[in-house]
Amino acid sequence: MSDTFDVIVIGSGPAGYVCAIRAAQLGLKVGCVEKWATLGGTCLNIGCIPSKALLQSSEEFEKTKHALADHGVVVDGVKLDLARMQARKGEVVNANTKGVEFLFRKNKVTWLKGAGRIVAAGTVGVGGTAYATKNIIIASGSESVPLSGVTVDEKQIVTSTGALELEKVPGHLVVIGGGVIGLELASVWRRLGAEVTVIEFLDRIVPGMDTEVATAFQRVLKKQGIKFRLGMKVTGATTADTGVTVSVEPVKGGAVETIAADVVLLSIGRRPYTEGLGLEDVGVALDDHKRVKVDSHYATNIPGIYAIGDVIAGPMLAHKGEDEGVAVAEILAGQVGHVNYNVIPNVVYTWPEVASVGRSEEELKAEGVAYTVGKFPFTANGRARAMGDTDGFVKILADKATDRVLGAHILGPDAGTLIAELVTAMEFGASAEDVARTCHAHPTLSEAVKEAALAVEGRALHI
Ligand SMILES: Cc1cc2nc3c(=O)[nH]c(=O)nc-3n(C[C@H](O)[C@H](O)[C@H](O)COP(=O)(O)OP(=O)(O)OC[C@H]3O[C@@H](n4cnc5c(N)ncnc54)[C@H](O)[C@@H]3O)c2cc1C
């Protein structure tokens, strides 16, 4: 046996590294096992951060090429330097992963380098060394869901990981799956010049999102040039030197069709990753979706073993995992850790962005809750007009009897930042009137939030 720890966290993604830092802040002796060469997990290395770096760069490119002239800024000879764009993305990732290393040193968290295996409750093996620990936290994250008949080579048929690394803009990119990750990467490559076709099994994009918002979102993406084939299922993809041939057929039945692509992005979702952890040997129970089963305190069925992040139930989002990391660290330190799952925001970082929190209209209807809707379009917001970013609207759903905000959905410029106000409002149990009576600076995009809150009572001022 080597060192003894109070807590060993397996995985250094946003759930794991945040948990490690919080536990160390609370005076616990913490080790964090990570098998990759850098800390930060999917989010920092191959997820949130590199995708947002490319979204930002591609947005700058598109703006310079197409939108600035409208502002009277004429730029001739705009060219793409994809190698530089990719190098910049690498620098952004590096700064973030190194940042986590710094935070580990600052908080005296020991990085146990290598793959971790739970030998028994109280013992974690890493590269031939067994470490004793009072508590183990599984934060091993998730991986892309495979599709039968579509073999990923990360060159011609890629997951999001390969799609973030392309060295050439594909002539035609076919995206399998109209979810958040697929649409963000579709936007990146369309802006850089690819023709993009999104193939989706369902008859709508972004499943789970408020339908009115999803429909408006699809319209905007279509206007930007992305083609959609909804209600279609991919049955196979074959690669050749000349490209990829994708076979599709209508979900409802009908003729098989082939689509020629240069690159195919498989993005039909993610699934929990538990390989090599030794869970079967220790007897840690999984649920029907192969997620680690936990109670409301993140405890598994084996005393002393906990789990957080993408590997357990709930939305696969970095901030959800971070909050669970903080909660379980506080629970282990004898405090009252807690996550309010009713107010976890969800953002799609396209442009315009889409952001939501709480219930959709469909959910409220299904739950039989009487509600009122307040909506306000960005076309009527002065700042959005000044920016030239008027696509979209703010929609607030409030309880008909109490006026309490039950859900909020925004399609529009900087929606991901705007939603924070409504997340805070919901966390504090605010009514739509509370939001409407709060002073909002003029001229800001946030006035559209205030106006939507006013519209709940039918008294928006600027429309
Ligand atoms: C392209 C893309 C874009 C995304 N964009 C966003 C976004 O904008 N916003 C958002 O909220 N979410 C986004 N996500 C989702 C987000 O990345 C995940 O929800 C988040 O990373 C989950 O955190 P986690 O800590 O649970 O696991 P992960 O980040 O997956 O980290 C798990 C870590 O555990 C390590 N590990 C696993 N098993 C072992 C073992 N046995 N021993 C040692 N180490 C091990 C892995 O190497 C990995 O580093 C995106 C995902 C992708 C793929």
Side-chain angles (χ1 to χ4, degrees):
M1 280 281 180
S2 185
D3 291 354
T4 299
F5 291 93
D6 293 315
V7 181
I8 288 185
V9 184
I10 304 179
S12 72
Y17 87 74
V18 168
C19 178
I21 291 172
R22 183 69 187 126
Q25 282 179 344
L26 292 165
L28 301 176
K29 186 173 178 203
V30 186
C32 181
V33 192
E34 176 53 61
K35 62 181 180 177
W36 289 352
T38 49
L39 298 172
T42 303
C43 174
L44 269 59
N45 290 282
I46 51 169
C48 323
I49 297 301
S51 60
K52 267 77 254 181
L54 286 186
L55 278 157
Q56 188 66 39
S57 297
S58 59
E59 179 64 23
E60 305 292 356
F61 176 70
E62 175 160 70
K63 248 195 207 154
T64 314
K65 203 159 179 205
H66 301 295
L68 288 188
D70 193 44
H71 289 260
V73 182
V74 181
V75 186
D76 285 329
V78 179
K79 280 199 313 236
L80 172 65
D81 179 352
L82 183 57
R84 173 64 205 134
M85 197 178 277
Q86 289 288 24
R88 178 187 176 276
K89 177 206 69 187
E91 288 157 15
V92 172
V93 167
N94 194 40
N96 279 273
T97 60
K98 284 278 180 291
V100 177
E101 265 187 62
F102 161 78
L103 292 172
F104 272 15
R105 279 196 302 276
K106 181 182 164 200
N107 289 284
K108 301 194 170 44
V109 173
T110 307
W111 176 2
L112 303 168
K113 294 186 181 179
R117 187 177 180 86
I118 304 175
V119 181
T123 313
V124 175
V126 186
T129 307
Y131 294 91
T133 177
K134 290 185 192 138
N135 300 288
I136 297 169
I137 297 170
I138 302 166
S140 52
S142 59
E143 61 180 357
S144 295
V145 172
L147 179 65
S148 135
V150 180
T151 308
V152 170
D153 58 19
E154 295 296 8
K155 293 279 175 224
Q156 286 178 293
I157 302 183
V158 297
T159 63
S160 54
T161 304
L164 290 165
E165 293 294 327
L166 298 179
E167 288 166 2
K168 199 174 140 221
V169 178
H172 185 200
L173 173 70
V174 165
V175 179
I176 309 176
V180 177
I181 293 174
L183 295 176
E184 287 185 358
L185 290 167
S187 287
V188 166
W189 293 107
R190 182 205 55 77
R191 291 169 187 166
L192 299 182
E195 179 193 345
V196 178
T197 307
V198 175
I199 303 172
E200 167 57 51
F201 185 88
L202 300 174
D203 58 6
R204 57 163 293 166
I205 60 168
V206 278
M209 184 185 284
D210 186 275
T211 303
E212 184 185 18
V213 176
T215 307
F217 180 38
Q218 190 191 339
R219 234 183 349 255
V220 171
L221 293 176
K222 205 171 149 199
K223 199 169 74 183
Q224 293 175 354
I226 295 179
K227 296 193 183 83
F228 289 94
R229 302 293 307 271
L230 303 183
M232 299 293 278
K233 90 176 160 203
V234 172
T235 53
T238 49
T239 54
D241 289 346
T242 47
V244 190
T245 306
V246 185
S247 310
V248 295
E249 63 184 56
V251 172
K252 290 186 179 136
V256 178
E257 182 186 330
T258 57
I259 300 175
D262 297 287
V263 174
V264 172
L265 164 59
L266 178 63
S267 55
I268 56 169
R270 295 182 64 80
R271 64 182 185 189
Y273 177 78
T274 54
E275 218 177 285
L277 283 172
L279 300 188
E280 331 57 46
D281 301 342
V282 190
V284 172
L286 304 183
D287 68 13
D288 295 346
H289 295 88
K290 301 241 167 18
R291 301 173 294 206
V292 177
K293 212 165 154 175
V294 291
D295 66 13
S296 58
H297 288 93
Y298 308 101
T300 68
N301 59 318
I302 305 293
I305 304 182
Y306 300 78
I308 52 173
D310 277 12
V311 81
I312 67 168
M316 287 185 166
L317 293 169
H319 42 283
K320 175 259 192 191
E322 288 184 38
D323 285 4
E324 290 174 344
V326 169
V328 75
E330 292 179 349
I331 289 167
L332 292 180
Q335 300 185 354
V336 189
H338 162 79
V339 176
N340 182 356
Y341 288 96
N342 290 319
V343 291
I344 294 183
N346 203 341
V347 181
V348 191
Y349 296 86
T350 47
W351 198 266
E353 293 181 346
V354 192
S356 64
V357 60
R359 298 283 192 275
S360 65
E361 271 203 80
E362 293 70 39
E363 283 170 333
L364 291 176
K365 278 185 190 136
E367 290 164 17
V369 178
Y371 62 92
T372 321
V373 186
K375 266 196 301 190
F376 191 80
F378 283 101
T379 42
N381 174 271
R383 184 64 181 275
R385 277 201 213 115
M387 291 166 68
D389 260 321
T390 51
D391 278 332
F393 55 90
V394 179
K395 171 174 175 178
I396 294 177
L397 304 168
D399 188 288
K400 194 166 187 143
T402 66
D403 194 38
R404 189 181 177 132
V405 179
L406 301 175
H409 308 270
I410 306 176
L411 168 68
D414 233 351
T417 304
L418 293 176
I419 201 75
E421 173 185 0
L422 292 157
V423 175
T424 308
M426 286 179 69
E427 184 68 49
F428 283 82
S431 63
E433 188 183 351
D434 290 328
V435 177
R437 287 192 183 275
T438 303
C439 188
H440 288 67
H442 175 76
T444 59
L445 296 171
S446 71
E447 287 173 291
V449 172
K450 174 184 171 141
E451 290 279 357
L454 282 167
V456 168
E457 272 198 28
R459 57 189 195 92
L461 292 162
H462 290 87
I463 196 153

